[in-house]
Amino acid sequence: MTVEQDVAQDERIESETQRIGRSVWNQLSHQRPTLFDRRWLDDRIMSWAMADESIKVQMFRFVDVLPMLRDHEAINRHLHEYFEDVQESLPWAARLALHVTDGNRVLGRALAVNARSNARRMAERFIAGSKPEEVLKAIRKIRDSGFAFTLDLLGEAVLSEEEADRYQQAYIDLIEQISEPINALPESAQVDANHLGSIPRVNVSLKLSALDSHFNPADPEGTTDRVLDRLRPILRTAQEYDAFVNIDMEQYEYKDLTYAIFKQVFVEEEFRDFFNAGIVCQAYLKDSADDLKQLKEWAEQRGTAITVRLVKGAYWDYEVIQAGLKNWPVPVFEQKWQSDDNFEALTVYLMQNYDVLSPAIGSHNMRSIAHAMATAETLDVPRDAFELQMLYGMGNDQAQVYANKGYRVRIYTPFGELIPGMAYLVRRLLENTSNDSFLRHTYQEDQSIEELLMSPKQAAAKAPETPEKPKLPFLNEPTVDFSKKENREAMLDALKSVREECGQEYPIIISGKIYETRQQLTSRSPSDRDLIVGRVSSATSDLAQEAIETARRTLTTWAAIDADHRAEYLELLANEMRHRRFELAAWMVYESGKPWHDADADVAEAIDFCRYYALQMREMDGSLETNLPGEENLYTYRPRGVAVVIAPWNFPLAILTGMTAAALVTGNTVVMKPAEQSPVIAAKLMEMLKAIGLPDGVVNYLPGNGEEIGPQLVSSPLVDVVAFTGSREVGLEINVKAAETGSEHLSVKKVIAEMGGKNAIIVDDDADLDEAVAGVIDSAFGYTGQKCSACSRAVVLDKVYDEFTKRLVAAVESLQVGPADDPGTQLGPVIDGEARDRINEEIESALEEGAELLFALEIPEELKKGSYVAPHVFTNVNTRSRLAQHEVFGPVLAIMKARDFGDALKIANDTDYALTGGVYSRSPANLKRARNEFFVGNLYLNRPCTAALVHRQPFGGFRMSGIGTKAGGNDYLHQFLIPINITENTMRRGFAPEE
């Protein structure tokens, strides 16, 4: 088509859009619910809630938590907690209800019953039911109204293979059970046929992520195999009973893999000719146009048309927030008119290709639907070649108008249990009560048809300018998105390249000179002890002394370099790490047994330490002056001197880099001693320090046996600061040794010690168990429990203990144990054989103490060449037992029962440690209480208790977890500096110079 023809076509579509839209509007204006209609009260509640954003949020939060509230006291308490702070915005009746039920058990019970009844009524409006007979009744009603349907089984999270199997079987049972009664209903030519002939009456929609407990885009091959094992039987059942299967789309991270699995299964011989299949396209995604084009090319090659359900998208807030938290590009359009405009462009594309991509327009927006109808008429698309799809319980009057006009309208009909149903309900209510939603306009008296039918481009011209986002003082380094093919390929290439470099030898480096020793540290891969990652020279006492003296000699020169120049070295180091990012992650995969995500996060954190400490040093560089006539006062900083950095193996790059970078940027010189288990990664850090041109002797690389050279490094009178991260026993010993002084000592040593933890996560009786189970699994078994921040105790309130424990055990059972270089591995090896034996001894000790072993995985025979420990879950654990008190540093979790939230806090606090802790709760009062009474250095509410980020979550604990410093915090550099105050008397002979 020429440009002129395109313009003319657009003008015809716009004219028809206005005509059709006004026609629909005129019919809708006579179909509002009356006082006697059941929907009237629901609509009044919705209208009231939407008038105030704070009320809307609190109401939806209450609806979300309601299924977990098992008695009227809990309901009444949560009503007061959620709405007390917004009482002034409530209607007078609601304010009165809260007031009179405060402390009154009888009235409180009545309020709770009423609240549950109202929420259940609302849920019944939007959810078709939970039992087969309820679903069939709803379907018959839908068809009696002249609509088609698609059924969606509710469920927000699948955490175990058992739950994935249950999800699969539910769809097989559904198709088998409803096909006969539904197909026996009277035929409707409008909804049971299209331009090609008859179409299935039974239509289901499912999520691929619910067919696998570990839907992992970083492992597309493994995920695809597992999903297809469960999807194929569903498709076979659909073929047998002539049912239609839609594949729903979820968060952006899953999109590419969802399309890939869909395309793969439907070119298999068994399903190549299966035309009763469809998939969703989300118009709010910036790359949705490309997705549709690729889908069209695939469908043409396949030779059989498919249906595409075009929607705006239900995860907009989630996608924007996640992108902001991860510092990733935002995948969705950030203004509503852009999504609307793209929706219309994609509608035109689908209509132009309706013979290959059968359009299913999913929207409640009057403009969007009118535009689709107008496009079809303009392009001569048969009316029965496409359909409109709307949500069950939403916009019923609007749907009826379209059906009356002869369009096929399909109702997206969710069904299932109340608990997952409430989560669905909240998401749909939030999605459809936005400021620009048609459904919101239906509750307003001043609604304007001109505004409703305004084209996206007109809306853009009238839209207020998007406020500029506030500039944050520091943005964390983005982790790698392994859902992207190019990133997976880059990681695989790095793993291959690094594997070829394994086995090399690495020397000690002091003042730029290479020292090789007869004694070596042999670094072996925890995943396969036969693989030697590298052989590293092990320092002698003489070399340790040489390193200390070198650092002392270079101190004056390095300290004299201005702070800005020192900060530049850190920024250069960060850039070098970015350049070698995948390589560094690959070294950690092999040497430390870190799975892909953990290894990459380690590199990102090392980069963050460099950039953040450079920023902090520049901010601290300006001296503080306090001047009076006749007196000048200068407050400034000097480096402490020689710093010995003793790093752990579990964060072999990040923590080593963080402590070294902090010492360097503050003007100290460094003796860098890595852990014996991870000397090769430290050698790579030394390579990068040399590559950026750091002067010789400023950092000295001193790998060696800690028992042999550690005491010498800590006790030396030439050392001024010791920065240590590691075990409690070693940390306390360092503190004692460093405190010993003699006549040869020039200073009292500063010790910075980050030690261990015995961290607990509290699961409240109103917690979202989908989130709580996943969060405890992630916290307890991420990196095989080898994080000082790891959750080793789950303190669960009695009311949810059984349900939580059952789901958690099933989730642990589904964990994939394997070598760290396998992208599908969720639980890799522990660091070495010594650690494996120590953890197994702790497990035996727990059994001897009487703890009940609830579950333990078996380690496959083919993994016996590595250092593997099966994840263990214990219950009936005595709060004073070794298992409850002693840090295990491995995949061992104790589940402990608490009577109430106060008892849970008491149990959680009952250790010598105070590092991290977590709480899963939807009670504002209990969350507030946790802030005040949970004694830990890092407290995490409704999220895992690991994965602290520089600047956002400065990390460190107290009691026996550390001395109270915060790595990655704005005061961490002070530990490496000595504050100096200089005062000058400027008065001479009775006068003082003017400023």
Side-chain angles (χ1 to χ4, degrees):
M1 293 177 64
T2 65
V3 174
E4 291 78 8
Q5 288 173 322
D6 281 339
V7 172
Q9 177 178 286
D10 290 345
E11 290 176 349
R12 288 197 300 274
I13 292 174
E14 181 60 31
S15 176
E16 278 298 292
T17 299
Q18 295 296 324
R19 182 187 67 78
I20 293 170
R22 290 177 184 275
S23 172
V24 172
W25 179 254
N26 290 334
Q27 294 177 66
L28 278 174
S29 63
H30 304 295
Q31 298 187 15
R32 293 179 180 276
T34 67
L35 178 64
F36 303 101
D37 193 315
R38 178 178 172 179
R39 291 183 299 151
W40 183 86
L41 178 59
D42 293 342
D43 289 352
R44 293 307 95 197
I45 293 173
M46 294 283 284
S47 177
W48 159 65
M50 288 184 294
D52 188 298
E53 186 68 20
S54 62
I55 295 294
K56 182 179 81 171
V57 170
Q58 294 302 84
M59 186 180 81
F60 289 167
R61 284 179 174 171
F62 176 74
V63 170
D64 183 48
V65 73
L66 183 60
M68 294 297 292
L69 307 181
R70 291 165 171 77
D71 52 52
H72 70 274
E73 286 92 351
I75 295 174
N76 197 31
R77 176 168 60 85
H78 280 75
L79 280 169
H80 282 81
E81 289 181 19
Y82 279 27
F83 291 103
E84 276 187 353
D85 290 343
V86 294
Q87 280 197 55
E88 296 304 315
S89 301
L90 295 175
W92 68 269
R95 292 200 302 271
L96 179 63
L98 286 178
H99 178 71
V100 300
T101 58
D102 192 5
N104 189 310
R105 292 176 60 86
V106 176
L107 293 177
R109 181 186 292 272
L111 178 63
V113 170
N114 187 53
R116 188 182 288 278
S117 174
N118 287 338
R120 184 177 292 277
R121 186 181 69 249
M122 185 176 291
E124 289 172 351
R125 173 175 172 179
F126 298 108
I127 300 170
S130 58
K131 301 176 182 177
E133 56 270 25
E134 294 172 341
V135 175
L136 278 171
K137 181 180 178 182
I139 291 172
R140 289 191 178 101
K141 187 175 180 180
I142 288 170
R143 286 189 61 86
D144 288 345
S145 299
F147 306 138
F149 69 88
T150 183
L151 288 172
D152 169 41
L153 176 61
L154 294 174
E156 291 298 299
V158 168
L159 302 175
S160 66
E161 294 300 279
E162 176 185 329
E163 292 179 359
D165 286 340
R166 197 157 56 238
Y167 185 86
Q168 177 212 39
Q169 192 60 47
Y171 271 96
I172 292 174
D173 293 345
L174 174 69
I175 295 170
E176 291 176 345
Q177 291 172 11
I178 72 170
S179 290
E180 183 176 344
I182 294 302
N183 289 330
L185 295 176
E187 183 178 357
S188 168
Q190 182 170 319
V191 299
D192 296 335
N194 61 17
H195 63 299
L196 298 177
S198 63
I199 56 177
R201 297 186 188 184
V202 175
N203 189 304
V204 298
S205 296
L206 59 85
K207 299 187 291 290
L208 294 187
S209 67
L211 293 174
D212 181 20
S213 61
H214 303 295
F215 195 87
N216 181 7
D219 178 29
E221 291 80 11
T223 301
T224 298
D225 290 343
R226 294 189 299 273
V227 168
L228 290 182
D229 283 345
R230 291 192 176 94
L231 179 60
R232 290 188 186 103
I234 296 175
L235 297 179
R236 292 182 189 118
T237 306
Q239 283 181 319
E240 180 182 353
Y241 288 89
D242 190 30
F244 194 102
V245 177
N246 291 287
I247 303 301
D248 275 337
M249 198 62 66
E250 302 169 80
Q251 56 262 47
Y252 181 71
E253 182 183 10
Y254 292 172
K255 175 181 71 72
D256 289 346
L257 184 52
T258 299
Y259 276 127
I261 294 173
F262 177 85
K263 292 175 182 177
Q264 179 171 327
V265 73
F266 285 111
V267 295
E268 293 178 357
E269 188 66 29
E270 185 177 4
F271 306 112
R272 177 179 287 276
D273 298 325
F274 184 49
F275 57 85
N276 296 329
I279 194 166
V280 169
C281 178
Q282 297 164 310
Y284 66 7
L285 295 178
K286 295 174 182 177
D287 51 9
S288 53
D290 290 336
D291 291 333
L292 271 192
K293 291 175 183 177
Q294 293 169 17
L295 204 55
K296 173 179 174 287
E297 293 172 0
W298 170 84
E300 288 174 335
Q301 293 173 1
R302 177 178 183 248
T304 305
I306 60 163
T307 296
V308 174
R309 177 192 293 150
L310 182 64
V311 299
K312 298 285 175 64
Y315 295 83
W316 188 89
D317 286 329
Y318 172 87
E319 300 294 2
V320 172
I321 291 169
Q322 285 297 306
L325 291 174
K326 295 179 178 180
N327 196 16
W328 286 355
V330 178
V332 297
F333 293 109
E334 295 185 63
Q335 294 192 48
K336 182 183 180 298
W337 72 264
Q338 295 172 313
S339 294
D340 290 342
D341 191 47
N342 192 47
F343 189 91
E344 294 189 2
L346 298 182
T347 297
V348 172
Y349 185 82
L350 287 175
M351 294 295 182
Q352 290 170 336
N353 298 282
Y354 72 90
D355 55 336
V356 180
L357 304 176
S358 179
I361 307 301
S363 178
H364 288 266
N365 184 285
M366 184 183 294
R367 160 77 196 192
S368 298
I369 297 175
H371 175 269
M373 296 175 176
T375 301
E377 290 190 14
T378 302
L379 299 180
D380 295 323
V381 177
R383 184 167 291 193
D384 58 358
F386 70 98
E387 66 184 36
L388 307 176
Q389 295 195 358
M390 305 185 75
L391 297 172
Y392 182 84
M394 295 186 183
N396 293 348
D397 296 337
Q398 192 183 3
Q400 194 66 62
V401 170
Y402 300 136
N404 293 343
K405 287 179 174 291
Y407 292 95
R408 182 169 65 255
V409 177
R410 188 174 303 278
I411 304 301
Y412 188 93
T413 309
F415 72 98
E417 297 299 326
L418 185 62
I419 290 178
M422 284 298 186
Y424 165 88
L425 174 62
V426 168
R427 192 169 72 242
R428 289 306 181 191
L429 290 175
L430 288 171
E431 176 191 355
N432 286 284
T433 54
S434 63
N435 289 331
D436 297 303
S437 169
F438 165 77
L439 293 181
R440 178 162 187 151
H441 283 284
T442 63
Y443 304 126
Q444 297 176 343
E445 299 299 328
D446 59 345
Q447 47 207 320
S448 163
I449 183 61
E450 287 75 20
E451 290 181 359
L452 283 175
L453 294 180
M454 186 181 298
S455 73
K457 290 181 173 57
Q458 289 176 313
K462 291 189 173 184
E465 290 188 14
T466 304
E468 188 175 342
K469 293 181 181 178
K471 189 175 181 181
L472 298 175
F474 181 80
L475 287 174
N476 294 93
E477 181 72 13
T479 53
V480 168
D481 181 0
F482 286 113
S483 70
K484 301 297 184 184
K485 182 179 179 181
E486 60 271 23
N487 290 334
R488 294 195 301 272
E489 290 177 346
M491 188 64 184
L492 289 170
D493 288 344
L495 287 167
K496 180 180 178 182
S497 177
V498 166
R499 179 70 180 244
E500 293 172 354
E501 294 182 31
C502 283
Q504 295 181 9
E505 296 189 355
Y506 299 88
I508 295 164
I509 299 177
I510 301 173
S511 193
K513 298 175 183 178
I514 291 174
Y515 293 86
E516 295 179 341
T517 60
R518 182 176 302 174
Q519 185 176 352
Q520 291 184 322
L521 302 173
T522 301
S523 175
R524 296 180 181 272
S525 174
S527 298
D528 180 357
R529 303 304 296 172
D530 290 341
L531 175 62
I532 295 176
V533 179
R535 291 183 172 88
V536 182
S537 291
S538 182
T540 62
S541 176
D542 290 342
L543 287 175
Q545 185 62 29
E546 174 67 19
I548 295 169
E549 291 175 357
T550 297
R552 175 61 62 179
R553 286 195 303 270
T554 55
L555 175 62
T556 303
T557 304
W558 177 248
I561 295 175
D562 63 85
D564 184 66
H565 194 181
R566 296 197 302 266
E568 285 180 7
Y569 278 110
L570 266 59
E571 290 166 340
L572 289 171
L573 181 58
N575 291 336
E576 184 71 11
M577 289 181 180
R578 283 199 191 100
H579 179 66
R580 299 177 61 173
R581 179 168 197 152
F582 290 102
E583 175 210 343
L584 293 170
W587 281 112
M588 277 184 277
V589 166
Y590 287 124
E591 186 171 44
S592 294
K594 285 203 162 193
W596 285 26
H597 286 286
D598 288 298
D600 174 70
D602 202 307
V603 181
E605 186 176 13
I607 294 170
D608 279 346
F609 277 130
C610 292
R611 294 175 48 246
Y612 185 69
Y613 290 154
L615 174 68
Q616 289 295 304
M617 191 65 242
R618 288 193 175 101
E619 291 181 354
M620 292 172 59
D621 189 35
S623 300
L624 178 64
E625 296 183 2
T626 303
N627 296 330
L628 298 170
E631 181 180 282
E632 292 180 356
N633 295 282
L634 181 67
Y635 189 88
T636 187
Y637 298 97
R638 289 178 180 168
R640 287 188 174 272
V642 173
V644 167
V645 170
I646 303 174
W649 50 262
N650 62 334
F651 287 86
L653 183 65
I655 293 180
L656 180 63
T657 299
M659 294 190 293
T660 301
L664 285 178
V665 80
T666 47
N668 301 275
T669 52
V670 177
V671 176
M672 188 171 71
K673 189 219 165 289
E676 293 97 304
Q677 297 91 336
S678 55
V680 174
I681 297 166
K684 298 300 172 182
L685 175 58
M686 194 66 200
E687 282 180 14
M688 292 184 288
L689 289 169
K690 186 173 180 61
I692 65 172
L694 190 74
D696 291 341
V698 174
V699 173
N700 302 277
Y701 171 58
L702 193 76
N705 187 300
E707 293 180 357
E708 294 178 9
I709 64 172
Q712 181 180 0
L713 294 175
V714 172
S715 301
S716 173
L718 299 179
V719 171
D720 302 283
V721 56
V722 178
F724 167 80
T725 301
S727 71
R728 167 178 171 172
E729 291 74 17
V730 176
L732 294 178
E733 185 179 348
I734 285 174
N735 203 41
V736 170
K737 286 284 185 184
E740 295 175 354
T741 58
S743 59
E744 70 278 19
H745 284 76
L746 301 177
S747 66
V748 177
K749 286 187 181 67
K750 174 72 174 182
V751 175
I752 306 164
E754 159 62 46
M755 297 181 286
K758 190 65 182 175
N759 314 298
I761 290 179
I762 295 173
V763 181
D764 202 352
D765 56 15
D766 67 351
D768 183 328
L769 293 189
D770 283 351
E771 293 185 359
V773 171
V776 171
I777 292 285
D778 186 26
S779 301
F781 302 114
Y783 190 35
T784 325
Q786 298 177 114
K787 301 177 183 179
C788 55
S789 57
C791 170
S792 59
R793 298 176 296 147
V795 184
V796 186
L797 268 68
D798 179 64
K799 290 181 180 178
V800 294
Y801 182 88
D802 290 341
E803 183 181 355
F804 171 87
T805 300
K806 179 182 177 181
R807 293 193 69 190
L808 181 128
V809 167
V812 174
E813 187 175 5
S814 71
L815 289 174
Q816 296 181 54
V817 181
D821 57 324
D822 184 338
T825 289
Q826 294 168 297
L827 195 111
V830 296
I831 190 63
D832 57 21
E834 183 181 339
R836 177 193 58 211
D837 295 342
R838 184 175 62 249
I839 297 166
N840 284 331
E841 287 174 5
E842 294 285 354
I843 292 169
E844 290 300 319
S845 174
L847 292 170
E848 291 171 2
E849 287 184 319
E852 178 185 342
L853 180 59
L854 204 57
F855 181 78
L857 269 178
E858 289 292 328
I859 299 298
E861 187 64 33
E862 63 268 21
L863 298 180
K864 294 298 175 65
K865 291 173 66 176
S867 305
Y868 291 89
V869 175
H872 283 64
V873 180
F874 286 92
T875 187
N876 292 333
V877 178
N878 187 298
T879 58
R880 300 308 303 167
S881 67
R882 182 177 177 85
L883 180 60
Q885 296 291 326
H886 189 264
E887 185 179 39
V888 178
F889 223 68
V892 180
L893 175 67
I895 306 180
M896 309 168 81
K897 187 184 294 186
R899 296 186 306 274
D900 51 35
F901 196 76
D903 187 37
L905 284 170
K906 181 180 178 182
I907 294 170
N909 286 328
D910 186 24
T911 72
D912 295 338
Y913 297 97
L915 188 54
T916 72
V919 176
Y920 281 90
S921 174
R922 287 180 283 192
S923 164
N926 284 348
L927 291 175
K928 181 179 180 181
R929 188 175 178 187
R931 288 183 173 94
N932 295 327
E933 299 178 33
F934 200 160
F935 301 120
V936 290
N938 286 68
L939 177 61
Y940 299 97
L941 306 179
N942 291 313
R943 56 146 283 177
C945 68
T946 59
L949 292 176
V950 171
H951 174 64
R952 278 161 54 180
Q953 296 110 21
F955 187 77
F958 52 101
R959 288 182 176 169
M960 288 299 169
S961 289
I963 296 179
T965 55
K966 283 289 189 185
N970 60 7
D971 58 356
Y972 186 69
L973 295 186
H974 289 276
Q975 314 304 318
F976 295 86
L977 292 165
I978 297 173
I980 302 295
N981 193 83
I982 301 171
T983 301
E984 180 182 356
N985 174 14
T986 60
M987 190 164 63
R988 299 290 186 272
R989 304 291 182 182
F991 74 93
E994 295 182 1
E995 294 184 7

